[in-house]
Amino acid sequence: MSASRPQAQPTVQIDNDRVVVTEWRFPPGAETGWHAHDRDYVVVPQATGKLELETLDGHTFSTLETGVSYYRDKGVEHNVVNANDFEFVFIEIELK
């Protein structure tokens, strides 16, 4: 996590015995901070844009498209950074 970056804002929408649904809002340049996913998850982008992924293997960029979901297995470790000059939003659905 960088002291100079704003923090992405998570809002938990659903947390029950089967899923956790979180809306993530990233102001320009905002980050999640380093974290490891302990659940399988699906991301549903609410905007089209580019995210920077800081991983154990280095930095990469990922272009996401509005409504085009993707799935990842648990165990992913990264810091996600909004690489756009506009707010970026996605919904994360974690499977319990």
Side-chain angles (χ1 to χ4, degrees):
M1 198 164 10
S2 168
S4 63
R5 289 183 182 148
Q7 295 303 292
Q9 299 302 308
T11 301
V12 176
Q13 297 178 339
I14 300 169
D15 186 351
N16 63 30
D17 61 334
R18 301 187 68 186
V19 298
V20 177
V21 178
T22 305
E23 176 190 69
W24 283 92
R25 290 192 167 270
F26 293 75
E31 68 180 355
T32 57
W34 275 92
H35 62 281
H37 289 266
D38 59 358
R39 299 180 179 117
D40 296 342
Y41 64 100
V42 174
V43 169
V44 184
Q46 303 299 292
T48 296
K50 188 185 296 187
L51 295 178
E52 180 179 3
L53 304 173
E54 298 175 347
T55 70
L56 299 174
D57 296 324
H59 291 236
T60 187
F61 289 88
S62 181
T63 300
L64 283 68
E65 294 183 34
T66 303
V68 179
S69 305
Y70 65 87
Y71 165 88
R72 296 288 183 267
D73 290 324
K74 69 180 177 180
V76 172
E77 278 188 71
H78 57 196
N79 181 27
V80 179
V81 181
N82 180 0
N84 304 289
D85 61 1
F86 53 86
E87 180 180 66
F88 193 84
V89 179
F90 63 74
I91 304 296
E92 179 183 76
I93 303 162
E94 298 175 278
L95 310 174
K96 290 186 177 180

